[in-house]
């Protein structure tokens, strides 16, 4: 058992409530959302939205008590293939923090451009959302794309 004081438990809960809760959606971009085999470039759009902070407004900076200065939360959005070990697209984004009570700007979108495979069929990529501020809150999604002739 952990023998924490009331003050330590309170501080732990305060930090826990500050951690970002990120919602992720993705979609293909282009004519009817089809990707043609052998085309020079394809794109997917990734939407990132932060849930409201539990118990109040979202803090402007990450919780980094041992970092020498204030740090804004950042995210790496990565598209890769686990099978081949290839990295197809990589972008770093920050999500603007709304200071308004019912602000709706705690979201952002990023477009990942990549070269699709030269053959038609189904292909599975991994979409990784990685925090540059916190350990253990990374997310991974399987992205299945239908590559047409």
């Amino acid at each position: 058992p952990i023998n924490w004081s009331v003050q330590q438990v309170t501080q732990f809960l305060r930090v826990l409530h500050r951690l970002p809760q990120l919602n992720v959606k993705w979609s293909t971009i282009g004519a009817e959302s089809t990707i043609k085999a052998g085309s020079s470039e394809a794109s997917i759009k990734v939407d990132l939205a932060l849930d409201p902070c539990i118990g109040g407004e979202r803090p402007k900076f990450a919780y980094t008590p041992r970092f020498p200065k204030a740090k804004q939360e950042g995210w790496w959005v990565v598209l890769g293939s686990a099978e081949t070990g290839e990295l197809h697209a990589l972008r770093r984004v920050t999500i603007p923090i709304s200071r308004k009570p019912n602000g709706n700007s705690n979201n952002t979108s990023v477009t990942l451009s990549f070269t699709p495979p030269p053959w038609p069929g189904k292909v599975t990529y991994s979409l990784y959302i990685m925090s540059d501020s916190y350990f253990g809150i990374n997310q991974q999604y399987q992205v299945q794309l239908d590559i047409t002739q």
Side-chain angles (χ1 to χ4, degrees):
I2 299 174
N3 291 327
W4 284 1
S5 68
V6 172
Q7 181 183 8
Q8 289 171 315
V9 170
T10 303
Q11 181 181 3
F12 172 77
L13 290 174
R14 199 174 308 130
V15 172
L16 184 64
H17 289 260
R18 288 178 59 118
L19 291 177
Q21 295 180 13
L22 191 66
N23 292 313
V24 179
K25 294 180 183 175
W26 65 271
S27 60
T28 55
I29 298 174
E32 295 142 18
S33 297
T34 59
I35 298 175
K36 297 204 182 284
S39 60
S40 62
E41 188 175 278
S43 299
I44 64 170
K45 179 182 172 192
V46 180
D47 298 315
L48 305 172
L50 285 171
D51 280 349
C53 192
I54 299 171
E57 71 178 25
R58 174 147 299 287
K60 189 172 182 178
F61 298 105
Y63 178 76
T64 55
R66 293 190 174 113
F67 203 68
K69 60 182 179 178
K71 180 177 181 336
Q72 187 175 10
E73 294 171 357
W75 301 89
W76 290 98
V77 182
V78 180
L79 185 68
S81 174
E83 290 177 3
T84 63
E86 289 182 80
L87 175 67
H88 296 283
L90 171 72
R91 295 281 305 270
R92 185 182 182 280
V93 297
T94 56
I95 301 173
I97 304 298
S98 172
R99 290 278 153 225
K100 298 176 184 163
N102 288 324
N104 206 15
S105 68
N106 292 342
N107 55 48
T108 192
S109 295
V110 61
T111 300
L112 298 176
S113 297
F114 61 98
T115 304
W119 59 87
K122 292 196 182 293
V123 65
T124 302
Y125 293 120
S126 293
L127 176 65
Y128 302 94
I129 313 298
M130 297 184 285
S131 171
D132 73 352
S133 303
Y134 302 108
F135 290 114
I137 64 170
N138 300 335
Q139 299 181 29
Q140 178 180 352
Y141 300 91
Q142 296 301 310
V143 177
Q144 286 198 335
L145 300 175
D146 193 15
I147 311 298
T148 60
Q149 190 65 337

